[in-house]
């Protein structure tokens, strides 16, 4: 594999060819998202339908989180060291092999232990793909279109999640559980073929013009461009864990508190993806090109309110609205933070920076899953949503309070005696 750190594409020779590269990249992201969501939605529903308690589902997701936690930093190093496209291809083929072995094992064994073993390896391969594909974005998107292209990538991802939610709900109700995993195998194969078509000639540049300009600007403000600000990491952790918590408990919420079926579960997952797509399409508009991470705390605060609202309502129509709002807030926050990181961190260190940010997300996720695994069915899903949503609100409110106190202290120090 070829090293691609500190490299950028040669845009001049063939703009049409470069548009083709971006199209195949988005196609790969779309089909990879279908496969990923099909795997997780199918596995979680199989565990819920088999009579496993919420702790069992939390254990499944915790094992995946542990594997991602361990793999995040090494994946970031590999992404900065080797060709990112090749790493994406390798991860697709690894996921295909994992799903084929999982399907074969489910014919002979109960789902619990098969899925526990499967998610460990799947999580590692999935983290490699996500880090590698995300690291490709600054090399195939123009600096002035960074927000729009990141948004399009998330649109492709959420469109894949939407299709996966509907397809998985139907497959689980009409066919044996292994059908959804075989379906995911096909989507990963298409993702690999699409990523293969993104082959492009690179030229080595003496420096990255966009990141150099940003580095000069940040250096003049006294900030280091090799580090991600703590406020961005905190917001990313909160919104990321919120999404993981919804994934862990929404199936139990449907079964126990809404008395629903797998089709209703698929509809709620569809609404999450629909809200995400609408919000991402809004971000592709030119007037939002300069939006930055300063609005992220507000989105996280509103998301906390929406999560907490599951408890007092527990109604299907309201749950549909809340899932759409949460899908929008989750993806808006992640896009804004991703773009901010891409603007602040040099291309050569982007993989490692994102890897360590994901380590923080996975570390906190593991604490949450450990709590769920220990509590089992002692708390209803809506009660857990209320507790975590309230925590999100408290953390953001405390952050604003500390910032206000800090600003007042600075103004008092600056006053003439």
């Amino acid at each position: 594999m070829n090293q691609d750190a500190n490299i950028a594409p040669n845009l001049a020779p063939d703009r049409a060819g470069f548009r083709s590269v971006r199209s195949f990249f988005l196609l790969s992201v779309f089909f990879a998202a279908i496969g990923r969501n099909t795997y997780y939605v199918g596995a979680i529903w199989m565990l819920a339908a088999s009579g496993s308690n919420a702790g069992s589902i939390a254990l499944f997701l915790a094992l995946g989180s542990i594997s991602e936690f361990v793999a995040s930093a090494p994946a970031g190093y590999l992404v900065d060291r080797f060709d990112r496209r090749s790493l994406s291809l390798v991860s697709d083929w690894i996921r295909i092999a994992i799903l084929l072995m999982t399907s074969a094992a489910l014919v002979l064994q109960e789902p619990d232990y098969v899925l526990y073993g499967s998610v460990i390896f799947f999580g590692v391969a999935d983290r490699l793909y996500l880090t590698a594909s995300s690291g490709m974005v600054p090399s195939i998107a123009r600096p002035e279109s960074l927000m729009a292209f990141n948004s399009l990538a998330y649109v492709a991802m959420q469109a894949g999640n939407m299709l996966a939610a509907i397809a998985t709900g139907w497959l689980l109700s009409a066919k044996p559980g292994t059908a959804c995993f075989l379906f995911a195998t096909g989507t990963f194969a298409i993702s690999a073929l699409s990523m293969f078509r993104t082959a492009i000639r690179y030229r080595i540049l003496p420096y990255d013009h966009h990141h150099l300009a940003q580095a000069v600007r940040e250096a003049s403000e006294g900030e280091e461009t090799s580090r991600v600000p703590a406020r961005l990491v905190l917001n990313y952790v909160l919104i990321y864990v919120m999404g993981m918590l919804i994934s862990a408990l929404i199936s139990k919420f449907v079964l126990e508190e809404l008395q629903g079926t797998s089709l209703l579960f698929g509809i709620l997952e569809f609404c999450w993806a629909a809200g995400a797509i609408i919000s991402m399409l809004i971000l592709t508009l030119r007037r939002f090109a300069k939006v930055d991470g300063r609005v992220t705390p507000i989105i996280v605060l509103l998301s906390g309110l929406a999560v907490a609202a599951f408890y007092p309502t527990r109604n299907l129509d309201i749950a549909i609205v809340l899932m759409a709002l949460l899908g929008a807030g989750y993806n808006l926050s992640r896009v804004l933070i991703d773009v901010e990181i891409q603007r602040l961190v040099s291309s050569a260190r982007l993989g490692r920076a994102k890897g360590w940010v994901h380590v923080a997300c996975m570390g906190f996720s593991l604490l949450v899953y450990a709590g769920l695994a220990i509590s089992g069915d002692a708390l209803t899903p809506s009660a857990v949503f209320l507790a975590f949503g309230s925590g999100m609100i408290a953390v953001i409110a405390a952050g604003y309070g500390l910032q206000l106190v800090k600003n007042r202290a600075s103004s008092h120090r600056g006053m003439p005696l």
Side-chain angles (χ1 to χ4, degrees):
M1 290 184 284
N2 298 322
Q3 297 183 25
D4 73 344
N6 289 326
I7 58 179
N10 186 352
L11 300 177
D14 188 1
R15 290 182 180 271
F18 215 73
R19 283 195 297 269
S20 176
V21 166
R22 290 194 289 266
S23 298
F24 279 115
F25 175 84
L26 294 175
L27 199 62
S28 174
V29 169
F30 171 71
F31 280 102
I34 295 176
R36 180 186 311 110
N37 209 42
T38 297
Y39 172 80
Y40 279 108
V41 171
I44 290 170
W45 183 261
M46 288 176 68
L47 288 171
S50 68
S52 300
N53 59 29
S56 178
I57 297 173
L59 177 59
F60 168 79
L61 292 172
L63 290 171
S65 296
I66 290 171
S67 63
E68 289 196 43
F69 178 79
V70 173
S72 291
Y77 172 79
L78 291 174
V79 164
D80 288 340
R81 179 69 175 80
F82 298 106
D83 177 55
R84 294 166 183 178
R85 170 179 159 271
S86 298
L87 290 172
S88 298
L89 284 168
V90 168
S91 65
D92 270 333
W93 292 115
I94 292 175
R95 288 183 291 187
I96 289 172
I98 292 169
L99 286 172
L100 289 175
M101 289 187 288
T102 301
S103 299
L106 283 171
V107 176
L108 305 172
Q109 300 289 334
E110 291 297 318
D112 298 55
Y113 294 108
V114 172
L115 294 175
Y116 293 159
S118 171
V119 74
I120 293 173
F121 298 101
F122 188 91
V124 172
D126 200 48
R127 176 46 38 197
L128 180 61
Y129 177 88
L130 290 170
T131 306
S133 60
S134 177
M136 290 175 64
V137 170
S139 296
I140 60 179
R142 297 182 182 89
E144 67 274 12
S145 303
L146 202 56
M147 178 70 75
F149 190 74
N150 273 278
S151 299
L152 284 175
Y154 271 80
V155 167
M157 186 182 300
Q158 292 305 321
N161 290 343
M162 183 186 295
L163 179 58
I166 296 300
T168 306
W170 180 81
L171 287 168
L172 289 171
S173 63
K175 301 289 183 182
T178 54
C180 64
F181 294 140
L182 295 176
F183 172 73
T185 299
T187 64
F188 283 128
I190 299 174
S191 171
L193 292 174
S194 301
M195 186 61 71
F196 181 76
R197 295 295 302 274
T198 63
I200 176 176
R201 290 182 300 170
Y202 289 97
R203 63 186 177 93
I204 299 176
L205 297 180
Y207 48 78
D208 184 326
H209 292 274
H210 169 58
H211 286 105
L212 178 62
Q214 185 69 28
V216 171
R217 183 164 60 254
E218 296 297 334
S220 66
E221 297 174 358
E223 297 184 14
E224 292 185 35
T225 58
S226 61
R227 296 182 181 178
V228 181
R231 60 180 176 81
L232 288 181
V233 177
L234 178 61
N235 289 325
Y236 203 102
V237 167
L238 288 174
I239 205 70
Y240 187 91
V241 176
M242 181 271 289
M244 299 289 280
L245 195 64
I246 294 291
S247 297
L249 296 179
I250 198 64
S251 59
K252 281 291 182 181
F253 180 76
V254 170
L255 278 171
E256 296 176 0
E257 301 190 49
L258 298 183
Q259 304 298 313
T261 64
S262 63
L263 289 177
L264 177 56
F265 178 47
I267 289 172
L268 290 181
E269 291 282 347
F270 176 91
C271 292
W272 172 287
I277 288 176
I278 293 171
S279 64
M280 293 302 93
L281 289 175
I282 292 173
L283 275 188
T284 61
L285 300 177
R286 185 172 298 178
R287 69 180 62 183
F288 293 100
K290 294 183 179 180
V291 174
D292 56 32
R294 286 176 293 182
V295 302
T296 306
I298 299 174
I299 299 174
V300 175
L301 179 67
L302 294 176
S303 297
L305 288 170
V307 172
F310 276 109
Y311 183 78
T313 56
R314 292 182 246 192
N315 175 273
L316 173 59
D317 294 332
I318 296 177
I320 287 173
V321 174
L322 291 176
M323 285 294 282
L325 291 174
L326 289 171
Y330 178 81
N331 286 273
L332 278 172
S333 300
R334 292 192 64 180
V335 168
L336 290 172
I337 295 171
D338 279 348
V339 172
E340 196 80 359
I341 292 173
Q342 290 166 6
R343 287 172 175 169
L344 291 173
V345 180
S346 65
S347 179
R349 296 183 58 87
L350 184 59
R352 279 165 285 183
K354 298 204 69 174
W356 284 112
V357 168
H358 203 76
V359 165
C361 292
M362 288 294 97
F364 195 77
S365 296
L366 290 174
L367 294 177
V368 173
Y369 288 149
L372 290 177
I374 292 171
S375 64
D377 290 329
L379 294 175
T380 63
S382 60
V384 177
F385 293 153
L386 174 64
F388 189 79
S390 301
M392 293 174 68
I393 296 169
V395 169
I396 297 301
Y400 277 118
L402 290 173
Q403 186 64 39
L404 181 62
V405 170
K406 184 178 179 181
N407 290 341
R408 287 185 174 179
S410 299
S411 63
H412 283 308
R413 284 197 300 269
M415 292 177 62
L417 298 177

